[in-house]
């Protein structure tokens, strides 16, 4: 499977501009033969939690979901995007959605670990376990940004059968160790591929790292970006997670009952 990852600079609250960037990337990725395009956290509205919460009309969200589904369907490519979502209780959460090539929704996820005062002021953390779906023959799951920095979140996806983890993110400049060390460690310890898609440039005063990566289930980098906008590609070997898990059976040899007795 060829995986495509968008690293780009969003225009905060300019949905037309941001969707045009996604549409162009989806067209190019589909032409290259990619099965799915992963885009950064909150990219269609821009990453500016307080401004988005204050200015985004929730009534726009259903139409925006349809617009993104049209992009996937028009180009015949899977699509991962991230938007705010409103719960039945009126809470705002950060979500991610995986669309199939026909624009239908395969998977949704709500961000469990919020990072920093801006996110905590604007959003409420979700509580759902990462679910796993079959995407073109590969068991696939999602988490969002800061979630991947917690081994429990990634291990939950792997324990559920995931062999590919898709991660929209919004990582600021100065946190280079996250994609270069931590994401690779998560891929290695749970023996799954991880696609980590970040913003680039400056949005609402925040300078983003770029540095998006695609890591294999052995922890090695399959592709890595610098700081500038790019459409990143990597070919995934669907048999690699099973080979790694057979060689060193981390998942099979866990002792969760024992670990629970250690919890404080």
């Amino acid at each position: 499977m060829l995986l495509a990852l968008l690293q780009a600079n969003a225009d905060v609250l300019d949905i037309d501009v941001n969707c045009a960037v996604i549409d162009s990337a989806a067209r190019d990725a589909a032409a290259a033969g990619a099965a799915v395009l992963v885009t950064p956290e909150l990219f269609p509205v821009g990453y500016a939690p307080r401004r988005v919460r204050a200015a985004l009309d929730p009534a726009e969200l259903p139409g925006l979901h349809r617009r993104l589904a049209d992009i996937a369907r028009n180009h015949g490519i899977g699509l991962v995007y991230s938007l705010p979502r409103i719960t039945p209780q009126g809470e705002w959460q950060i979500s991610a959605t995986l669309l199939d090539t026909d624009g239908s929704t395969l998977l949704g996820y709500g961000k469990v670990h919020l990072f920093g005062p801006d996110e905590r002021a604007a959003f409420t953390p979700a509580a759902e376990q990462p679910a796993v779906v079959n995407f073109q023959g590969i068991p696939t799951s999602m988490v969002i940004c800061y979630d991947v920095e917690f081994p429990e979140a990634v291990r939950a996806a792997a324990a559920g059968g995931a062999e590919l983890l898709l991660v929209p993110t919004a990582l600021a400049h100065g946190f280079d160790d996250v994609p270069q060390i931590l994401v690779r460690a998560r891929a290695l310890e749970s023996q799954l591929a991880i696609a980590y898609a970040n913003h680039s440039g400056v949005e609402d005063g925040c300078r983003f790292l770029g540095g998006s990566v695609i890591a294999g289930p052995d922890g090695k980098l399959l592709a890595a970006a610098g700081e500038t906008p790019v459409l990143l590609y990597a070919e995934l070997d669907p048999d690699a997670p099973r080979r790694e898990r057979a060689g060193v059976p981390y998942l099979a040899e866990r002792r969760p009952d024992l670990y629970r007795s250690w919890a404080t």
Side-chain angles (χ1 to χ4, degrees):
M1 175 193 288
L2 184 64
L3 178 70
L5 182 155
L6 173 66
Q7 176 172 290
N9 182 231
D11 193 331
V12 174
L13 293 170
D14 194 330
I15 290 171
D16 289 342
V17 166
N18 299 332
C19 283
V21 172
I22 294 174
D23 184 66
S24 177
R27 181 191 63 239
D28 292 347
V36 63
L37 171 68
V38 186
T39 66
E41 182 180 10
L42 294 178
F43 189 86
V45 295
Y47 184 84
R50 292 179 191 264
R51 283 182 61 192
V52 167
R53 176 63 186 271
L56 181 66
D57 183 352
E60 293 187 65
L61 290 173
L64 185 47
H65 282 286
R66 290 192 296 270
R67 186 171 183 175
L68 291 159
D70 286 344
I71 290 173
R73 181 169 52 255
N74 290 341
H75 298 295
I77 190 170
L79 179 65
V80 174
Y81 64 87
S82 170
L83 283 174
R85 72 178 182 189
I86 317 300
T87 71
Q89 295 75 34
E91 295 175 331
W92 287 55
Q93 297 177 341
I94 299 174
S95 75
T97 300
L98 169 62
L99 300 179
D100 207 346
T101 56
D102 62 359
S104 61
T105 298
L106 289 176
L107 185 61
Y109 174 77
K111 188 174 185 179
V112 171
H113 303 92
L114 300 180
F115 182 82
D118 288 347
E119 281 193 12
R120 296 188 186 105
F123 297 104
T124 299
E128 63 214 74
Q129 181 175 338
V132 180
V133 296
N134 185 314
F135 178 72
Q136 300 196 13
I138 297 181
T140 301
S141 188
M142 293 188 297
V143 297
I144 301 172
C145 195
Y146 194 36
D147 288 331
V148 81
E149 300 181 39
F150 292 81
E152 296 86 353
V154 180
R155 184 52 58 86
E163 297 176 2
L164 172 61
L165 188 68
L166 307 174
V167 189
T169 194
L171 184 72
H173 195 271
F175 291 93
D176 306 59
D177 286 350
V178 174
Q180 288 297 322
I181 296 175
L182 197 148
V183 169
R184 296 175 65 182
R186 294 288 167 270
L188 174 62
E189 70 194 7
S190 284
Q191 297 167 316
L192 43 63
I194 298 180
Y196 183 84
N198 196 20
H199 295 249
S200 63
V202 176
E203 298 171 32
D204 199 43
C206 177
R207 179 185 174 193
F208 288 97
L209 174 68
S212 301
V213 295
I214 302 170
D218 57 359
K220 293 184 173 62
L221 289 179
L222 302 176
E227 292 191 24
T228 58
V230 68
L231 193 54
L232 201 64
Y233 295 97
E235 186 72 43
L236 301 183
D237 178 354
D239 296 323
R242 289 185 286 278
R243 286 199 305 270
E244 295 299 323
R245 293 172 183 183
V248 182
Y250 289 135
L251 295 177
E253 294 184 347
R254 291 178 306 128
R255 299 183 62 189
D257 291 340
L258 176 63
Y259 307 150
R260 280 191 287 271
S261 75
W262 295 349
T264 57

